[in-house]
């Protein structure tokens, strides 16, 4: 049995009760939205041996219960130490399986100095 005193609200069996005996349905918890595609934490960035390009590698997870069968592109901005944008790395695919992973290798040629 639910009881309340001096204005406190309590929850009992999915109802909110107040001291006046009024009840109302408890608010439903709002589920945290899940992004359909996420970049996994295993990504790396590495320059090539000649210093003329940079590759970002890792995985993108499809968190959906549906396959993605249209164009998908991921981009990364390559920044120098001072913060200037050196260019954009990009990778794309046309399919990603249901709850699957896409192995990403995004290449960006560095500008000549």
């Amino acid at each position: 049995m639910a009881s309340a005193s001096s204005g406190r609200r309590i929850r009992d069996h999915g109802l909110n009760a107040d001291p006046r005996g009024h009840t109302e349905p408890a608010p439903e918890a709002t589920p945290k939205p899940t992004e359909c595609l996420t970049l996994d934490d295993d990504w790396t960035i590495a320059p090539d041996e000649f210093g003329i390009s940079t590759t970002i590698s890792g995985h993108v997870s499809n968190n959906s219960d549906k396959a993605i069968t249209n164009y998908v592109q991921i981009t990364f901005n390559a920044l120098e130490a001072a913060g200037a944008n050196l260019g954009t790395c990009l990778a794309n695919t046309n399919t990603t399986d249901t709850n699957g992973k896409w192995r990403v290798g995004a290449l960006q040629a560095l500008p000549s100095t």
Side-chain angles (χ1 to χ4, degrees):
M1 173 159 219
S3 64
S5 62
S6 60
R8 276 189 355 196
R9 295 176 69 93
I10 63 169
R11 184 175 295 186
D12 182 59
H13 302 292
L15 297 176
N16 289 332
D18 69 24
R20 296 176 301 275
H22 297 101
T23 58
E24 58 189 49
E28 292 185 26
T30 304
K32 183 179 177 184
T34 301
E35 295 293 327
C36 182
L37 294 172
T38 54
L39 179 63
D40 295 350
D41 290 334
D42 67 344
W43 66 273
T44 60
I45 183 169
D48 72 0
E49 62 184 292
F50 305 107
I52 59 173
S53 68
T54 299
T55 301
I56 297 175
S57 300
H59 291 91
V60 171
S61 290
N62 177 2
N63 303 308
S64 170
D65 59 356
K66 296 179 182 174
I68 296 173
T69 58
N70 52 359
Y71 185 79
V72 176
Q73 178 171 303
I74 187 168
T75 60
F76 304 91
N77 288 327
L79 307 176
E80 66 179 10
N85 190 344
L86 297 173
T88 301
C89 302
L90 68 92
N92 53 57
T93 188
N94 289 317
T95 61
T96 304
D97 293 335
T98 302
N99 294 308
K101 289 188 181 278
W102 164 33
R103 174 122 176 95
V104 173
L107 179 69
Q108 191 266 324
L110 298 174
S112 59
T113 56

